[in-house]
Amino acid sequence: WTINQGLEFLDTLDDRSFFLYLSIKDPHPLIAVSQELIDKYPIDKIDLPETWKDSLEGRPDYLKNDVGRMSLDMDEIGFRTMMAYYYALITHIDDEVGRLMDHLEKLGIAENTIVTFISDHGEMLGEHRAIQKRMFWEASVRVPCVVSWPDGLPSGHRVTTPLGGVDLAPTLLELCGLS
């Protein structure tokens, strides 16, 4: 729905500059994806994280008692199935963003359009026997931030310094000459 709304907006453009903000809710429960996407991730091919069996021994009790912590007897096949659904949803998001990028190309505006993709948090996805975003381990805090602007930024450039989401708006304003 979100991408469809964005495509409809893009079809109304004239020669003026524009700003389009699309917020994709996923990946969050309820995870509703096609069987075709789920089938791309056979559960017998999904590896559990190296820290899957982490008992957190010697670590603070608050980590052991967190709501996002799974019990030590969690069924591995069930969890791999959950991971397949999660990966399928990520693939769906990727496909939808691809539709948006293809539409920009079709309209002839892809080269001079700044597109940014960022997430607000990661997902533990079984690391340290945790799910959700609650713990400050790499899986929870490392998030994607991709900025594409073929006419204005070098292709393939990678920034390795930490990014705070609050820095993104001023950066985009500066790129647009509105700082």
Side-chain angles (χ1 to χ4, degrees):
W1 183 87
T2 301
I3 297 298
N4 288 340
Q5 296 299 302
L7 300 182
E8 286 180 25
F9 170 81
L10 291 172
D11 287 338
T12 68
L13 293 178
D14 51 28
D15 290 337
R16 293 177 293 173
S17 298
F18 69 94
F19 176 83
L20 172 62
Y21 174 86
L22 299 175
S23 179
I24 301 171
K25 165 193 117 30
D26 293 322
H28 288 99
L30 298 166
I31 296 179
V33 289
S34 70
Q35 189 63 47
E36 177 186 356
L37 289 178
I38 295 166
D39 290 344
K40 289 183 176 197
Y41 301 97
I43 61 171
D44 60 333
K45 303 280 190 229
I46 295 176
D47 293 325
L48 294 171
E50 288 181 25
T51 59
W52 168 254
K53 298 235 181 230
D54 188 354
S55 68
L56 299 180
E57 189 169 326
R59 300 231 170 93
D61 286 341
Y62 77 88
L63 290 174
K64 299 173 191 170
N65 301 325
D66 188 85
V67 172
R69 182 100 168 115
M70 296 178 293
S71 68
L72 292 175
D73 62 352
M74 174 68 173
D75 172 38
E76 289 186 13
I77 292 174
F79 194 75
R80 280 188 175 100
T81 301
M82 190 209 80
M83 291 173 77
Y85 276 73
Y86 185 83
Y87 294 153
L89 186 53
I90 298 296
T91 299
H92 172 70
I93 293 167
D94 188 50
D95 291 346
E96 289 296 294
V97 172
R99 281 194 325 124
L100 176 69
M101 300 303 288
D102 289 346
H103 202 71
L104 291 170
E105 192 72 42
K106 183 182 113 189
L107 294 173
I109 59 174
E111 297 298 309
N112 195 32
T113 299
I114 300 170
V115 176
T116 304
F117 182 91
I118 190 169
S119 179
D120 59 340
H121 61 81
E123 165 60 49
M124 291 301 294
L125 203 58
E127 291 198 23
H128 304 283
R129 289 200 86 75
I131 55 172
Q132 303 174 348
K133 59 184 177 186
R134 301 176 164 335
M135 298 178 184
F136 288 107
W137 273 302
E138 193 76 6
S140 183
V141 297
R142 181 180 289 261
V143 298
C145 180
V146 179
V147 179
S148 171
W149 183 21
D151 279 355
L153 295 173
S155 176
H157 181 71
R158 187 178 179 108
V159 177
T160 58
T161 55
L163 167 82
V166 297
D167 297 326
L168 190 56
T171 300
L172 293 174
L173 289 171
E174 186 177 329
L175 289 175
C176 294
L178 299 172
S179 59

